[in-house]
Coordinates of all heavy atoms in Angstrom, one line a residue:
M13 N 0.8 -1.2 0.0 CA 0.0 0.0 0.0 C 0.9 1.2 0.0 O 1.8 1.4 0.8 CB -0.9 0.0 1.2 CG -1.9 1.0 1.2 SD -3.0 1.0 2.7 CE -2.0 1.6 3.9
L14 N 0.6 2.2 -0.9 CA 1.4 3.4 -1.0 C 0.8 4.4 -0.1 O -0.4 4.7 -0.1 CB 1.4 3.9 -2.4 CG 2.4 3.2 -3.4 CD1 2.2 3.7 -4.8 CD2 3.8 3.4 -2.9
P15 N 1.6 5.0 0.8 CA 1.1 6.1 1.6 C 0.8 7.3 0.8 O 1.6 7.8 0.0 CB 2.2 6.4 2.6 CG 3.5 5.8 1.9 CD 3.0 4.8 0.9
V16 N -0.4 7.9 1.0 CA -0.8 9.0 0.2 C -0.3 10.3 0.8 O -0.1 11.3 0.0 CB -2.4 9.1 0.0 CG1 -2.8 8.3 -1.2 CG2 -3.1 8.7 1.3
A17 N 0.0 10.3 2.1 CA 0.4 11.6 2.7 C 1.8 11.9 2.5 O 2.3 12.9 3.0 CB 0.1 11.5 4.2
C18 N 2.5 11.1 1.7 CA 3.9 11.2 1.5 C 4.3 12.3 0.5 O 3.8 12.2 -0.6 CB 4.4 9.9 1.0 SG 5.5 9.2 1.9
S19 N 5.2 13.1 0.8 CA 5.8 13.9 -0.3 C 7.2 13.6 -0.5 O 8.0 13.8 0.4 CB 5.6 15.4 0.0 OG 6.3 15.8 1.1
R20 N 7.5 13.0 -1.6 CA 8.8 12.6 -1.9 C 9.5 13.4 -3.0 O 8.8 13.7 -3.9 CB 8.8 11.1 -2.3 CG 9.0 10.2 -1.1 CD 8.7 8.7 -1.5 NE 7.3 8.4 -1.4 CZ 6.7 7.6 -2.3 NH1 7.3 7.0 -3.2 NH2 5.4 7.4 -2.1
E21 N 10.8 13.6 -2.8 CA 11.4 14.4 -3.8 C 12.0 13.5 -4.9 O 13.2 13.7 -5.3 CB 12.6 15.2 -3.2 CG 12.0 16.2 -2.1 CD 13.2 16.7 -1.2 OE1 14.3 16.6 -1.6 OE2 12.8 17.0 0.0
S22 N 11.3 12.6 -5.4 CA 11.8 11.7 -6.4 C 10.9 11.6 -7.6 O 9.7 11.9 -7.5 CB 12.0 10.3 -5.9 OG 10.8 9.6 -5.6
S23 N 11.4 11.3 -8.7 CA 10.5 11.1 -9.9 C 10.8 9.7 -10.4 O 11.8 9.1 -10.2 CB 10.8 12.2 -10.9 OG 12.2 12.2 -11.2
P24 N 9.8 9.2 -11.2 CA 9.9 7.8 -11.7 C 11.1 7.7 -12.7 O 11.6 8.6 -13.2 CB 8.6 7.5 -12.4 CG 7.8 8.7 -12.3 CD 8.6 9.8 -11.6
K25 N 11.5 6.4 -13.0 CA 12.5 6.1 -14.0 C 13.9 6.6 -13.6 O 14.6 7.0 -14.5 CB 12.1 6.6 -15.4 CG 10.8 6.0 -15.9 CD 10.5 6.3 -17.3 CE 9.4 5.5 -17.9 NZ 8.2 5.5 -17.1
E26 N 14.1 6.6 -12.3 CA 15.5 6.9 -11.9 C 16.2 5.6 -11.5 O 15.5 4.7 -11.1 CB 15.5 7.9 -10.7 CG 15.1 9.3 -11.1 CD 14.9 10.1 -9.8 OE1 15.2 9.6 -8.7 OE2 14.5 11.3 -10.0
P27 N 17.5 5.5 -11.6 CA 18.1 4.3 -11.0 C 17.9 4.2 -9.5 O 17.6 5.2 -8.9 CB 19.6 4.6 -11.4 CG 19.7 6.0 -11.6 CD 18.4 6.5 -12.0
E28 N 18.1 3.0 -9.0 CA 17.9 2.8 -7.6 C 18.8 3.7 -6.8 O 20.0 3.9 -7.1 CB 18.1 1.3 -7.2 CG 17.7 1.1 -5.8 CD 17.7 -0.4 -5.4 OE1 16.6 -1.0 -5.7 OE2 18.7 -1.0 -5.0
R29 N 18.2 4.3 -5.7 CA 19.0 5.2 -4.9 C 18.9 4.6 -3.4 O 18.0 3.9 -3.1 CB 18.5 6.6 -4.9 CG 18.7 7.3 -6.3 CD 18.2 8.7 -6.3 NE 16.8 8.7 -6.1 CZ 16.1 9.9 -5.8 NH1 16.7 11.0 -5.5 NH2 14.8 9.8 -5.7
H30 N 19.9 5.0 -2.6 CA 20.0 4.5 -1.3 C 20.1 5.6 -0.3 O 20.9 6.5 -0.5 CB 21.2 3.5 -1.2 CG 21.2 2.5 -2.2 ND1 20.4 1.3 -2.1 CD2 21.7 2.4 -3.4 CE1 20.6 0.6 -3.2 NE2 21.4 1.2 -4.0
Y31 N 19.3 5.5 0.8 CA 19.3 6.5 1.8 C 19.5 5.8 3.2 O 18.9 4.7 3.4 CB 18.0 7.3 1.8 CG 17.8 8.1 0.5 CD1 17.0 7.5 -0.4 CD2 18.4 9.3 0.3 CE1 16.8 8.2 -1.6 CE2 18.2 10.0 -0.9 CZ 17.4 9.4 -1.9 OH 17.1 10.0 -3.1
Q32 N 20.2 6.5 4.1 CA 20.3 5.9 5.4 C 19.2 6.5 6.3 O 18.8 7.6 6.2 CB 21.7 6.4 6.0 CG 22.1 5.6 7.2 CD 22.2 4.1 7.0 OE1 22.6 3.7 5.9 NE2 21.9 3.3 8.0
M33 N 18.5 5.6 7.0 CA 17.4 6.1 7.9 C 17.6 5.6 9.3 O 18.2 4.5 9.6 CB 16.0 5.6 7.4 CG 15.7 4.2 7.7 SD 14.1 4.0 8.6 CE 13.0 4.4 7.4
T34 N 17.2 6.4 10.3 CA 17.1 6.0 11.7 C 15.7 6.2 12.1 O 15.1 7.2 11.8 CB 18.1 6.9 12.5 OG1 19.4 6.9 12.0 CG2 18.1 6.5 14.0
G35 N 15.2 5.2 12.9 CA 13.8 5.3 13.3 C 13.5 4.3 14.4 O 14.3 3.6 14.9
V36 N 12.2 4.3 14.8 CA 11.7 3.4 15.8 C 10.5 2.6 15.1 O 9.7 3.1 14.4 CB 11.1 4.2 17.0 CG1 10.5 3.2 18.0 CG2 12.3 4.9 17.7
V37 N 10.6 1.3 15.4 CA 9.5 0.4 14.8 C 8.2 0.6 15.6 O 8.2 0.5 16.8 CB 9.9 -1.1 14.9 CG1 8.8 -2.0 14.4 CG2 11.2 -1.3 14.1
V38 N 7.2 1.1 14.9 CA 5.9 1.3 15.6 C 5.0 0.0 15.5 O 4.4 -0.3 16.5 CB 5.2 2.5 14.8 CG1 3.8 2.7 15.4 CG2 6.0 3.8 15.0
S39 N 5.0 -0.6 14.4 CA 4.3 -1.9 14.3 C 4.8 -2.7 13.1 O 5.6 -2.2 12.3 CB 2.8 -1.6 14.1 OG 2.5 -0.9 12.9
L40 N 4.4 -4.0 13.2 CA 4.9 -4.9 12.2 C 3.8 -5.7 11.6 O 2.8 -6.0 12.3 CB 5.9 -5.9 12.9 CG 7.2 -5.3 13.4 CD1 7.8 -6.3 14.4 CD2 8.1 -5.0 12.3
D41 N 3.9 -6.0 10.3 CA 2.9 -6.9 9.7 C 3.7 -8.1 9.1 O 4.4 -8.0 8.0 CB 2.2 -6.2 8.6 CG 1.0 -7.0 8.0 OD1 1.2 -8.2 7.9 OD2 0.0 -6.4 7.7
A42 N 3.6 -9.2 9.8 CA 4.4 -10.4 9.4 C 3.9 -11.0 8.0 O 4.7 -11.5 7.3 CB 4.3 -11.5 10.4
K43 N 2.6 -10.8 7.8 CA 2.1 -11.4 6.5 C 2.6 -10.6 5.3 O 3.0 -11.2 4.3 CB 0.5 -11.3 6.6 CG -0.1 -12.4 5.7 CD -1.6 -12.1 5.6 CE -2.4 -12.6 6.8 NZ -3.8 -12.3 6.6
L44 N 2.6 -9.3 5.4 CA 3.1 -8.5 4.3 C 4.6 -8.2 4.4 O 5.2 -7.7 3.5 CB 2.4 -7.2 4.3 CG 0.8 -7.2 4.1 CD1 0.2 -5.8 4.2 CD2 0.5 -7.8 2.7
Q45 N 5.2 -8.6 5.5 CA 6.6 -8.4 5.8 C 6.9 -6.9 5.6 O 7.8 -6.4 4.9 CB 7.5 -9.2 4.8 CG 9.0 -9.4 5.4 CD 9.8 -10.4 4.6 OE1 9.4 -11.5 4.5 NE2 10.9 -9.9 4.0
T46 N 6.1 -6.1 6.3 CA 6.3 -4.6 6.4 C 6.5 -4.2 7.8 O 5.9 -4.8 8.7 CB 5.1 -3.9 5.7 OG1 3.9 -4.2 6.5 CG2 4.9 -4.2 4.3
A47 N 7.2 -3.1 7.9 CA 7.4 -2.5 9.2 C 6.9 -1.0 9.1 O 7.3 -0.3 8.2 CB 8.8 -2.5 9.6
T48 N 6.1 -0.6 10.1 CA 5.8 0.8 10.2 C 6.8 1.5 11.1 O 7.0 1.1 12.2 CB 4.4 1.0 10.8 OG1 3.4 0.4 9.9 CG2 4.0 2.5 10.9
V49 N 7.5 2.5 10.5 CA 8.6 3.1 11.2 C 8.4 4.6 11.3 O 8.0 5.3 10.4 CB 9.9 2.8 10.4 CG1 11.1 3.5 11.1 CG2 10.2 1.4 10.2
K50 N 8.7 5.0 12.6 CA 8.6 6.5 12.8 C 10.1 7.0 12.6 O 11.0 6.6 13.4 CB 8.2 6.7 14.2 CG 8.1 8.2 14.6 CD 7.6 8.4 16.0 CE 7.3 9.9 16.1 NZ 7.4 10.4 17.4
H51 N 10.3 7.7 11.6 CA 11.7 8.0 11.2 C 11.9 9.5 11.2 O 11.0 10.3 11.0 CB 12.1 7.3 9.9 CG 11.3 7.7 8.7 ND1 11.5 8.9 8.1 CD2 10.4 7.1 8.0 CE1 10.7 9.0 7.0 NE2 10.0 7.9 7.0
G52 N 13.2 9.9 11.3 CA 13.6 11.3 11.1 C 13.7 11.6 9.7 O 13.4 10.8 8.8
Q53 N 14.1 12.8 9.4 CA 14.2 13.3 8.0 C 15.2 12.4 7.3 O 16.2 12.0 7.8 CB 14.7 14.7 8.0 CG 14.7 15.3 6.6 CD 15.5 16.6 6.5 OE1 16.5 16.8 7.2 NE2 15.1 17.5 5.6
I54 N 14.8 12.0 6.1 CA 15.7 11.3 5.2 C 16.2 12.3 4.1 O 15.4 12.6 3.2 CB 15.0 10.0 4.6 CG1 14.6 9.1 5.8 CG2 16.0 9.3 3.7 CD1 13.7 7.9 5.3
K55 N 17.4 12.8 4.3 CA 17.8 13.9 3.5 C 17.8 13.6 2.0 O 18.3 12.6 1.6 CB 19.3 14.3 3.9 CG 19.5 15.7 3.9 CD 20.9 16.1 4.5 CE 21.3 17.5 4.2 NZ 20.3 18.5 4.0
G56 N 17.1 14.5 1.3 CA 17.1 14.3 -0.2 C 15.9 13.5 -0.6 O 15.6 13.3 -1.8
W57 N 15.1 12.9 0.3 CA 14.0 12.0 -0.1 C 12.7 12.3 0.6 O 11.7 12.5 0.0 CB 14.4 10.5 0.1 CG 13.4 9.6 -0.5 CD1 13.0 9.6 -1.8 CD2 12.8 8.5 0.2 NE1 12.1 8.6 -1.9 CE2 11.9 7.9 -0.8 CE3 12.8 8.0 1.5 CZ2 11.1 6.8 -0.5 CZ3 12.0 6.9 1.8 CH2 11.2 6.3 0.8
M58 N 12.7 12.5 1.9 CA 11.5 12.5 2.7 C 11.7 13.3 4.0 O 12.7 13.1 4.6 CB 11.0 11.1 2.9 CG 9.6 11.0 3.5 SD 9.2 9.2 3.7 CE 9.0 8.8 2.0
E59 N 10.6 13.9 4.4 CA 10.6 14.6 5.8 C 10.4 13.5 6.8 O 10.1 12.4 6.5 CB 9.5 15.6 5.8 CG 9.7 16.8 4.9 CD 11.1 17.5 5.1 OE1 11.4 17.8 6.3 OE2 11.8 17.7 4.1
A60 N 10.6 13.9 8.1 CA 10.3 13.0 9.2 C 8.8 12.6 9.2 O 8.0 13.4 9.0 CB 10.7 13.6 10.5
M61 N 8.5 11.3 9.3 CA 7.1 10.8 9.4 C 7.1 9.4 9.8 O 8.1 8.8 10.0 CB 6.5 11.0 8.0 CG 7.0 10.0 6.9 SD 6.0 10.1 5.4 CE 6.4 11.7 4.8
T62 N 5.9 8.9 10.0 CA 5.6 7.5 10.4 C 5.0 6.9 9.2 O 3.9 7.3 8.7 CB 4.7 7.4 11.6 OG1 5.4 8.1 12.7 CG2 4.5 5.9 12.0
M63 N 5.6 5.9 8.6 CA 5.0 5.2 7.5 C 5.5 3.7 7.4 O 6.4 3.3 8.1 CB 5.3 5.9 6.2 CG 6.8 6.1 5.9 SD 7.0 7.0 4.4 CE 6.9 5.7 3.1
E64 N 4.8 3.0 6.5 CA 5.0 1.6 6.4 C 6.1 1.3 5.3 O 6.0 1.9 4.2 CB 3.7 1.0 5.9 CG 3.5 -0.5 6.3 CD 2.1 -0.9 5.9 OE1 1.2 0.0 5.8 OE2 1.9 -2.1 5.6
Y65 N 7.0 0.5 5.6 CA 8.1 0.1 4.6 C 8.1 -1.4 4.5 O 8.2 -2.2 5.4 CB 9.4 0.5 5.2 CG 9.7 2.0 5.1 CD1 9.3 2.8 6.2 CD2 10.3 2.6 4.0 CE1 9.5 4.2 6.1 CE2 10.5 3.9 4.0 CZ 10.1 4.7 5.0 OH 10.4 6.1 5.0
P66 N 8.1 -1.9 3.2 CA 8.4 -3.3 3.0 C 9.9 -3.6 3.4 O 10.7 -2.8 3.2 CB 8.3 -3.5 1.5 CG 7.5 -2.3 1.0 CD 7.9 -1.2 2.0
V67 N 10.1 -4.7 4.1 CA 11.4 -5.1 4.5 C 11.9 -6.2 3.5 O 11.2 -7.2 3.3 CB 11.5 -5.7 5.9 CG1 12.9 -6.1 6.3 CG2 11.0 -4.6 6.9
R68 N 13.0 -5.9 2.9 CA 13.4 -6.8 1.7 C 13.7 -8.2 2.1 O 13.2 -9.1 1.4 CB 14.6 -6.1 1.1 CG 14.8 -6.6 -0.3 CD 15.9 -5.8 -1.0 NE 15.4 -4.7 -1.8 CZ 16.0 -4.0 -2.7 NH1 17.2 -4.4 -3.0 NH2 15.5 -3.0 -3.4
S69 N 14.4 -8.5 3.2 CA 14.8 -9.9 3.5 C 14.0 -10.4 4.7 O 13.8 -9.6 5.7 CB 16.3 -10.0 3.6 OG 16.7 -9.6 4.9
K70 N 13.7 -11.7 4.7 CA 13.1 -12.3 5.8 C 14.0 -12.2 7.1 O 13.5 -12.0 8.2 CB 12.9 -13.8 5.5 CG 11.5 -14.1 5.1 CD 11.3 -15.7 5.1 CE 9.9 -16.1 4.9 NZ 9.0 -15.3 4.2
S71 N 15.3 -12.4 6.9 CA 16.2 -12.3 8.1 C 16.2 -10.9 8.7 O 16.3 -10.8 9.9 CB 17.6 -12.8 7.7 OG 18.1 -12.0 6.7
D72 N 16.1 -9.9 7.9 CA 16.1 -8.5 8.5 C 14.7 -8.4 9.2 O 14.7 -7.8 10.3 CB 16.2 -7.5 7.4 CG 17.6 -7.1 7.1 OD1 18.5 -7.6 7.8 OD2 17.8 -6.3 6.1
F73 N 13.6 -8.8 8.6 CA 12.3 -8.7 9.2 C 12.3 -9.4 10.6 O 11.7 -8.9 11.5 CB 11.2 -9.2 8.3 CG 9.9 -8.9 8.9 CD1 9.3 -7.7 8.7 CD2 9.2 -9.9 9.6 CE1 8.0 -7.4 9.2 CE2 7.9 -9.6 10.1 CZ 7.3 -8.4 9.9
A74 N 12.9 -10.6 10.6 CA 12.9 -11.4 11.9 C 13.6 -10.7 13.0 O 13.4 -11.1 14.2 CB 13.6 -12.7 11.6
K75 N 14.5 -9.7 12.8 CA 15.2 -9.0 13.9 C 14.3 -8.0 14.6 O 14.6 -7.6 15.7 CB 16.4 -8.2 13.3 CG 17.5 -9.0 12.6 CD 18.4 -8.0 12.0 CE 19.4 -8.6 11.1 NZ 20.2 -7.6 10.3
L76 N 13.2 -7.7 13.9 CA 12.4 -6.5 14.4 C 11.4 -6.8 15.4 O 10.7 -7.8 15.3 CB 11.8 -5.8 13.2 CG 12.7 -5.3 12.1 CD1 12.0 -4.8 10.9 CD2 13.6 -4.2 12.7
H77 N 11.2 -5.9 16.4 CA 10.2 -5.9 17.4 C 9.6 -4.5 17.5 O 10.4 -3.6 17.4 CB 10.7 -6.4 18.7 CG 11.4 -7.7 18.7 ND1 12.8 -7.8 18.4 CD2 11.0 -9.0 18.9 CE1 13.1 -9.1 18.4 NE2 12.1 -9.8 18.7
E78 N 8.4 -4.4 17.9 CA 7.8 -3.1 18.1 C 8.6 -2.4 19.2 O 9.0 -3.0 20.2 CB 6.3 -3.2 18.6 CG 5.4 -3.6 17.4 CD 4.0 -3.8 17.8 OE1 3.6 -3.3 18.9 OE2 3.2 -4.4 17.1
G79 N 8.9 -1.1 19.0 CA 9.7 -0.4 19.9 C 11.2 -0.4 19.7 O 11.9 0.4 20.3
D80 N 11.6 -1.2 18.8 CA 13.1 -1.2 18.5 C 13.5 0.0 17.8 O 12.8 0.5 16.9 CB 13.4 -2.4 17.5 CG 13.4 -3.8 18.2 OD1 13.3 -3.8 19.5 OD2 13.6 -4.8 17.5
K81 N 14.7 0.5 18.2 CA 15.3 1.6 17.5 C 16.2 1.0 16.4 O 17.0 0.2 16.8 CB 16.1 2.5 18.5 CG 16.6 3.8 17.9 CD 17.3 4.7 18.9 CE 17.7 5.9 18.2 NZ 18.7 6.6 19.0
I82 N 16.0 1.4 15.2 CA 16.8 0.8 14.1 C 17.5 1.8 13.2 O 17.1 3.0 13.2 CB 15.8 -0.1 13.2 CG1 14.8 0.8 12.6 CG2 15.2 -1.2 14.0 CD1 14.1 0.1 11.4
T83 N 18.5 1.3 12.5 CA 19.0 2.0 11.4 C 18.8 1.0 10.2 O 18.8 -0.2 10.4 CB 20.5 2.4 11.5 OG1 21.2 1.2 11.6 CG2 20.7 3.3 12.6
A84 N 18.6 1.6 9.0 CA 18.4 0.8 7.8 C 18.8 1.6 6.6 O 18.9 2.8 6.7 CB 17.0 0.3 7.8
T85 N 18.9 0.9 5.5 CA 19.1 1.5 4.2 C 17.7 1.5 3.5 O 17.1 0.5 3.5 CB 20.1 0.8 3.4 OG1 21.4 0.8 4.1 CG2 20.3 1.5 2.0
V86 N 17.3 2.7 3.0 CA 16.1 2.7 2.2 C 16.5 2.6 0.7 O 17.3 3.4 0.3 CB 15.3 4.0 2.4 CG1 13.9 3.9 1.7 CG2 15.1 4.3 3.9
D87 N 16.1 1.6 0.1 CA 16.3 1.4 -1.4 C 15.2 2.0 -2.1 O 14.0 1.5 -2.0 CB 16.5 -0.1 -1.7 CG 17.6 -0.7 -0.9 OD1 18.7 -0.1 -0.8 OD2 17.4 -1.8 -0.3
V88 N 15.4 3.0 -3.0 CA 14.3 3.7 -3.7 C 14.5 3.5 -5.2 O 15.6 3.8 -5.7 CB 14.3 5.2 -3.3 CG1 13.2 5.9 -4.1 CG2 14.2 5.4 -1.8
S89 N 13.5 3.0 -5.8 CA 13.5 2.9 -7.3 C 12.2 3.5 -7.8 O 11.1 2.8 -7.6 CB 13.7 1.5 -7.7 OG 13.7 1.4 -9.1
G90 N 12.2 4.6 -8.4 CA 10.9 5.3 -8.8 C 10.0 5.5 -7.6 O 10.4 6.0 -6.6
S91 N 8.8 4.9 -7.7 CA 7.9 5.0 -6.6 C 7.9 3.8 -5.6 O 7.2 3.8 -4.7 CB 6.5 5.2 -7.1 OG 6.1 4.1 -7.9
D92 N 8.8 2.9 -5.9 CA 9.0 1.7 -5.0 C 10.1 2.0 -4.0 O 11.1 2.6 -4.3 CB 9.4 0.5 -5.9 CG 8.2 0.0 -6.7 OD1 7.1 0.2 -6.3 OD2 8.5 -0.6 -7.7
Y93 N 9.9 1.4 -2.8 CA 11.0 1.6 -1.8 C 10.9 0.4 -0.9 O 9.8 -0.2 -0.7 CB 10.8 2.9 -1.1 CG 9.4 3.1 -0.5 CD1 9.1 2.5 0.7 CD2 8.5 3.7 -1.2 CE1 7.8 2.6 1.2 CE2 7.2 3.9 -0.7 CZ 6.8 3.3 0.5 OH 5.6 3.5 0.9
S94 N 12.0 0.0 -0.3 CA 12.0 -1.0 0.7 C 13.2 -0.8 1.6 O 14.1 0.0 1.3 CB 12.1 -2.4 0.0 OG 13.3 -2.5 -0.8
L95 N 13.3 -1.6 2.7 CA 14.4 -1.5 3.6 C 15.3 -2.6 3.5 O 14.9 -3.8 3.3 CB 13.9 -1.4 5.1 CG 12.9 -0.3 5.5 CD1 12.6 -0.4 7.0 CD2 13.6 1.1 5.2
S96 N 16.6 -2.4 3.6 CA 17.6 -3.4 3.7 C 18.7 -3.0 4.7 O 18.6 -1.9 5.3 CB 18.2 -3.7 2.3 OG 18.9 -2.6 1.9
N97 N 19.6 -3.9 5.0 CA 20.7 -3.6 6.0 C 20.1 -3.2 7.3 O 20.6 -2.2 7.9 CB 21.7 -2.6 5.4 CG 22.3 -3.0 4.2 OD1 22.8 -4.2 4.1 ND2 22.4 -2.2 3.2
V98 N 19.1 -3.8 7.8 CA 18.5 -3.4 9.1 C 19.3 -3.8 10.2 O 19.8 -4.9 10.4 CB 17.1 -4.1 9.2 CG1 16.4 -3.7 10.6 CG2 16.1 -3.7 8.1
Q99 N 19.6 -2.8 11.1 CA 20.4 -3.0 12.3 C 19.6 -2.5 13.5 O 19.1 -1.4 13.5 CB 21.7 -2.2 12.3 CG 22.5 -2.4 11.1 CD 23.3 -3.8 11.1 OE1 23.4 -4.4 12.1 NE2 23.7 -4.2 9.9
V100 N 19.4 -3.4 14.5 CA 18.7 -3.0 15.7 C 19.7 -2.3 16.7 O 20.7 -2.9 17.0 CB 17.9 -4.2 16.4 CG1 17.3 -3.7 17.7 CG2 16.9 -4.8 15.4
Q101 N 19.4 -1.1 17.0 CA 20.3 -0.3 17.9 C 20.0 -0.6 19.4 O 20.9 -0.8 20.2 CB 20.2 1.2 17.6 CG 20.5 1.6 16.2 CD 21.8 1.1 15.7 OE1 22.8 1.4 16.3 NE2 21.9 0.4 14.6
S102 N 18.8 -0.6 19.7 CA 18.4 -0.9 21.1 C 17.0 -1.5 21.0 O 16.1 -1.0 20.4 CB 18.3 0.4 22.0 OG 17.4 1.3 21.4
G103 N 16.9 -2.7 21.7 CA 15.7 -3.5 21.6 C 14.7 -3.1 22.6 O 15.0 -2.5 23.6
S104 N 13.5 -3.6 22.4 CA 12.4 -3.3 23.4 C 12.3 -4.5 24.4 O 11.6 -4.3 25.4 CB 11.1 -3.1 22.7 OG 10.8 -4.2 21.9
Q105 N 12.9 -5.6 24.0 CA 12.7 -6.8 24.9 C 13.7 -6.9 26.0 O 14.8 -6.4 25.9 CB 12.7 -8.1 24.0 CG 14.0 -8.5 23.4 CD 14.3 -7.7 22.1 OE1 14.2 -6.5 22.1 NE2 14.6 -8.4 21.1
Ligands
LIG221 CU1 6.9 9.0 3.9

């Protein structure tokens, strides 16, 4: 599902770009393998907001718990985006 409230500074048909993000996991959807992340500004791409991101790999998704503080790489290709290189900085458990 694409967030409608999002204003992104990207246009379609660009090569994949990568941004570093820091945020907190708000909720997880194991079925869709998505994480809703409250993140700070992602310079050059997006303002600070809370939104849902597909997590590219199962092993990255398995690391996540609600409340975890994470860093990740956002892979952006046109209007598609996903998270990779997920690192949990401080866990909630
Ligand atoms: Cu957004």
Side-chain angles (χ1 to χ4, degrees):
M13 190 178 74
L14 283 173
V16 273
C18 237
S19 63
R20 269 170 273 147
E21 301 163 22
S22 70
S23 54
K25 299 190 169 52
E26 287 174 3
E28 187 167 276
R29 293 182 293 162
H30 306 278
Y31 300 95
Q32 195 59 33
M33 80 126 69
T34 302
V36 175
V37 177
V38 175
S39 63
L40 295 163
D41 188 324
K43 206 191 281 178
L44 297 174
Q45 202 171 300
T46 60
T48 300
V49 181
K50 182 179 188 205
H51 62 76
Q53 187 195 31
I54 300 173
K55 215 169 166 32
W57 189 53
M58 188 179 287
E59 296 304 310
M61 68 170 70
T62 301
M63 60 182 274
E64 204 175 335
Y65 287 87
V67 178
R68 200 170 264 200
S69 79
K70 259 191 170 26
S71 59
D72 273 354
F73 186 81
K75 297 175 193 170
L76 299 174
H77 307 86
E78 288 179 16
D80 283 353
K81 191 176 178 196
I82 61 163
T83 60
T85 302
V86 188
D87 303 314
V88 180
S89 177
S91 59
D92 289 332
Y93 52 85
S94 60
L95 299 184
S96 63
N97 300 316
V98 177
Q99 306 286 339
V100 176
Q101 306 300 310
S102 59
S104 58
Q105 70 279 50

